[in-house]
Amino acid sequence: MSHVCGVWLGRVSRAGDRLDRVPSPPHRGRTARSGSRRPKGRDVKSNLLRNVLVGAIAVLVAGLLVTSGFLVRVLTEGDQEAAAVSTGVTTASKAKDDPTNYALLAEMAKIIAEDYVDPDKATPEALRDAAIKGIFDALDPHSAYIDPDSYALSRDDFEGAFEGIGATVSKEGDFVVISTPLPNTPAEKAGIKAGDQVLEVDGQSAEGWSVQLAVTKIRGPIGSKVTIKVKHKDGKIETFTISRDKIAVESVSRLPLFGGVLRDAAGDEVKDIAYVRIRSFSRSTPQEVEKTLKDINASGAKGIILDVRSNPGGLLQETIQIADMFLDGGQIFYQQDRSGRETGAVARSGALTNLPIVILQDEFSASGAELLAGALQENGRAKVIGTRSFGKGTVNHARDLSNGGAVYVSIGRWLTPKHNQIEGKGITPDYEVQMTLEELEARKDIPAQRAIDMLRGRPLPPPSKPVATATPTASATPRR
């Protein structure tokens, strides 16, 4: 039956075209073939056959008229209804096109929750999270919604201690990577290495995770365990089960990055150059740096290596205080807000030290680390050695939310003293050094060796050729 109906519906237009062109009955008289008259018996039969055919055609035409009339009515009334609906939508859309009318989102969420074919993907939580993600995807990579648990963890970052495995992380492409494992922490003891790509956490794929989500998944109470699958820089994949602990972080250290003592290219211990590593800018960092500089001034050192490699940044005012310690006046940075208005900070006269400085940075040096490097470099106070830095030059402000979370939003951009943009560009080193995998595995600190030679006034070998670093694909500020 459906097949027959299909055939008829497919031919309605042809029948309709022919309704006003029903052929006239054939002439009674001569046929086209012979011109002779038909016998009467044959005429009777012909008349009978003609009447039957005419009756059948009449029935058929009547059926087609009814069918066509029904279709015409449907199409006509449908057009009228569509026009009426369209007019209503046009009128209503003027009100609903108001971009501040967020009730439309609630209306769509209700429809999706009721009608979507896969209800597990249309839960209120899933739709809310997707809407939040969509909002921040339209902004820069440094603005984000921070859920209550993550917000509580992030506040611990600047208090000098947190509970977790003891590593800083950042985002490269679709994955979070380990910026650096902190010394004497569960991460370092387990074998986690700088540059490790986090593939899974507790069996969950980490692809596409934000830094905030990764931090939330990796951190946890003291004594609890977390299983992390990583891909090392050499391509080897390993899985570690690590017990979390309380990580007390001293933001300033005199211990070289690769441990042991500071050595030059010849392998000799260096005693005339001071080494200072700043891991982050927390509330206690200015006091730690001030004490360290006083010790250095009393030691008779001839220069300072200031190491901010893998420093993810931190608190702005504390960063300004530290830059001020090395400068005797001069602009530290400019801050440009959404209207283009500029403010900034100027160093006071009187530095805590006048020793020459070389700053070490890498592709994980971000935010405050870049502000410090740019301030000292462009004021002629320091040379920078290493690779181009991360390129995070936004000023971010956390606004508390009613659920205990926060909106972390970019409210301005940092510019260097010479008005160079940091965001997306980073700080370009004066001398490029890109370490090889072999040098890393041999724990040879080539950038530090070049810094020693520079401070001693010795000639340097040709710099490394610029290579692609994490910076072009990095999408979020490094975090613990």
Side-chain angles (χ1 to χ4, degrees):
M1 179 65 72
S2 61
H3 176 70
V4 173
C5 290
V7 170
W8 279 110
L9 290 174
R11 295 181 60 185
V12 166
S13 60
R14 291 182 61 192
D17 288 342
R18 297 174 60 172
L19 290 179
D20 59 348
R21 295 199 300 272
V22 178
S24 301
H27 290 289
R28 293 181 184 178
R30 299 182 183 275
T31 64
R33 291 183 60 185
S34 62
S36 60
R37 294 184 181 272
R38 290 176 177 161
K40 288 184 179 180
R42 196 174 283 181
D43 287 342
V44 172
K45 291 181 180 180
S46 296
N47 290 335
L48 180 61
L49 180 60
R50 184 181 300 110
N51 291 336
V52 171
L53 290 173
V54 170
I57 291 172
V59 172
L60 175 61
V61 169
L64 289 176
L65 284 171
V66 172
T67 304
S68 299
F70 172 75
L71 290 175
V72 169
R73 181 182 178 188
V74 168
L75 292 174
T76 303
E77 290 179 356
D79 287 343
Q80 293 171 349
E81 291 175 3
V85 171
S86 175
T87 302
V89 169
T90 302
T91 303
S93 66
K94 293 180 180 179
K96 291 190 176 181
D97 280 345
D98 179 3
T100 63
N101 180 21
Y102 291 107
L104 185 61
L105 291 177
E107 184 181 352
M108 288 189 288
K110 184 175 182 296
I111 292 172
I112 293 170
E114 292 174 351
D115 297 349
Y116 186 62
V117 66
D118 191 345
D120 290 340
K121 293 182 179 179
T123 63
E125 294 80 7
L127 296 179
R128 179 202 62 192
D129 292 346
I132 291 173
K133 182 178 183 299
I135 289 173
F136 287 100
D137 281 349
L139 308 179
D140 67 1
H142 312 303
S143 297
Y145 163 68
I146 309 176
D147 63 78
D149 292 338
S150 297
Y151 190 37
L153 292 173
S154 69
R155 283 181 288 195
D156 290 341
D157 283 347
F158 306 119
E159 300 302 332
F162 63 94
E163 295 179 0
I165 65 170
T168 59
V169 297
S170 63
K171 184 76 178 289
E172 284 186 43
D174 292 330
F175 288 93
V176 168
V177 300
I178 303 295
S179 300
T180 183
L182 302 177
N184 300 315
T185 60
E188 184 188 55
K189 293 174 182 177
I192 297 290
K193 301 176 182 178
D196 284 352
Q197 188 179 70
V198 179
L199 303 179
E200 294 180 4
V201 177
D202 287 333
Q204 298 181 40
S205 172
E207 185 173 2
W209 280 9
S210 66
V211 170
Q212 287 82 7
L213 179 58
V215 168
T216 303
K217 296 288 187 182
I218 294 173
R219 284 189 183 180
I222 297 173
S224 62
K225 295 184 177 181
V226 60
T227 300
I228 303 176
K229 179 187 283 188
V230 302
K231 182 179 181 181
H232 298 302
K233 283 188 173 181
D234 61 3
K236 182 180 179 182
I237 295 177
E238 282 192 89
T239 300
F240 302 95
T241 298
I242 305 172
S243 295
R244 300 179 176 99
D245 201 352
K246 187 173 183 64
I247 311 299
V249 181
E250 290 185 352
S251 59
V252 178
S253 172
R254 299 290 304 277
L255 188 67
L257 181 62
F258 291 109
V261 297
L262 187 65
R263 297 186 182 277
D264 59 19
D268 297 327
E269 182 177 353
V270 175
K271 297 182 179 180
D272 59 330
I273 305 295
Y275 174 93
V276 181
R277 185 179 177 205
I278 303 178
R279 295 192 181 97
S280 64
F281 299 97
S282 65
R283 301 193 193 282
S284 64
T285 307
Q287 292 74 29
E288 294 178 53
V289 171
E290 184 175 358
K291 180 181 182 302
T292 300
L293 289 179
K294 289 179 179 179
D295 293 341
I296 291 172
N297 288 336
S299 71
K302 297 179 180 179
I304 299 173
I305 296 175
L306 193 58
D307 194 344
V308 293
R309 288 176 291 184
S310 296
N311 181 326
L315 299 174
L316 175 59
Q317 291 304 318
E318 282 70 9
T319 305
I320 294 172
Q321 291 177 42
I322 292 166
D324 191 24
M325 295 178 190
F326 295 99
L327 295 172
D328 185 14
Q331 192 76 30
I332 296 176
F333 77 105
Y334 291 99
Q335 178 175 320
Q336 190 176 71
D337 66 17
R338 60 189 293 174
S339 67
R341 184 175 64 93
E342 286 188 358
T343 55
V346 177
R348 298 167 298 178
S349 61
L352 291 186
T353 180
N354 294 315
L355 292 174
I357 302 168
V358 171
I359 295 175
L360 301 182
Q361 68 174 27
D362 61 11
E363 63 266 35
F364 298 115
S365 302
S367 193
E370 296 174 288
L371 188 150
L372 177 63
L376 270 58
Q377 182 189 51
E378 293 192 359
N379 277 288
R381 189 66 185 86
K383 295 291 186 181
V384 178
I385 287 180
T387 61
R388 184 163 64 93
S389 62
F390 188 90
K392 196 275 184 183
T394 56
V395 185
N396 292 88
H397 177 62
R399 295 282 296 273
D400 293 350
L401 296 174
S402 58
N403 68 344
V407 170
Y408 193 62
V409 61
S410 299
I411 61 172
R413 298 193 186 282
W414 288 333
L415 303 176
T416 66
K418 294 183 178 180
H419 278 85
N420 290 313
Q421 182 174 309
I422 296 175
E423 177 66 20
K425 297 182 178 181
I427 302 298
T428 301
D430 297 291
Y431 183 87
E432 181 90 17
V433 178
Q434 178 70 38
M435 291 186 65
T436 66
L437 183 60
E438 292 75 17
E439 290 168 343
L440 286 170
E441 291 178 343
R443 302 179 70 81
K444 292 182 178 180
D445 197 344
I446 306 302
Q449 293 175 8
R450 298 291 182 265
I452 292 167
D453 289 339
M454 182 177 285
L455 288 168
R456 287 175 171 173
R458 295 177 178 174
L460 301 177
S464 303
K465 293 181 180 180
V467 297
T469 66
T471 309
T473 56
S475 58
T477 312
R479 295 270 309 282
R480 285 196 192 91

